[in-house]
């Protein structure tokens, strides 16, 4: 971090614009800003998830690494044309996903968010991750982006789904299965 922030408010955004890391200013409701903000929101949800992890050091370590990746991803969006997320990030997600998925039984039902507070929080992070992916797809339709950022979010949502399943089943817990026709009166 080149310059330390000594004063948090600058009033430069009072006109509805914000500054990118490259010095350009754009509207606060621009898709690029939405992508940055959604990556930040996802990072916050993963931070809450980490605080729910009791004796889950392996998952907490993976989530901590992901938080750093997401901060880098937000930075990538803040500098148009930059490429921070690469194939190694995606490969690591796939390997981590395979590791956590190895002991899970095959899916035979849809799963509802829940099971444990940590599993429910992980599902919430997954849903925000899917939204972040949609925002990045939309951004890519109007501006040039690193395709690896989109791939990363796609794999991350898969990993969060698998981790939610793991967390719901830990310590004798169970996944909450969707029951077809239960919503009928």
């Amino acid at each position: 971090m080149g310059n330390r922030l000594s004063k948090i408010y600058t009033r430069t955004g009072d006109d509805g614009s914000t500054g990118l890391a490259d010095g350009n200013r754009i509207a606060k409701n621009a898709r690029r800003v939405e992508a940055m903000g959604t990556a930040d929101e996802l990072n916050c949800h993963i931070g809450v998830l980490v605080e729910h992890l009791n004796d889950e050091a392996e998952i907490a370590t993976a989530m901590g690494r992901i938080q750093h990746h997401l901060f880098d991803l937000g930075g990538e969006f803040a500098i148009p044309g930059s490429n921070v997320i690469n194939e190694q990030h995606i490969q690591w997600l796939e390997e981590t996903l395979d590791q956590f998925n190895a002991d899970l039984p095959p899916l035979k039902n849809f799963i509802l968010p829940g099971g444990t507070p940590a599993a429910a929080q992980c599902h919430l992070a997954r849903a925000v991750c899917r939204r972040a992916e949609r925002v990045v797809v939309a951004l890519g339709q109007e501006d040039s982006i690193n395709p690896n950022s989109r791939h990363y979010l796609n794999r991350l949502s898969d990993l969060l789904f698998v981790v939610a399943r793991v967390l719901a089943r830990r310590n004798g817990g169970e996944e909450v299965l969707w029951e077809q026709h239960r919503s009928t009166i």
Side-chain angles (χ1 to χ4, degrees), residues 10-20 22-28:
T10 63
R11 297 185 176 138
T12 57
D14 290 351
D15 66 353
S17 69
T18 191
L20 296 177
D22 67 359
N24 288 314
R25 297 197 67 78
I26 62 173
K28 287 185 177 185

Side-chain angles (χ1 to χ4, degrees), residues 112-132:
L112 299 178
T116 66
Q121 179 61 39
C122 197
H123 277 293
L124 181 57
R126 174 193 51 77
V128 172
C129 188
R130 286 288 187 205
R131 179 162 38 89

Side-chain angles (χ1 to χ4, degrees), residues 135-146:
V135 169
V136 170
V137 167
L139 174 60
Q141 291 172 344
E142 66 184 40
D143 202 353
S144 177
I145 62 162
N146 172 10

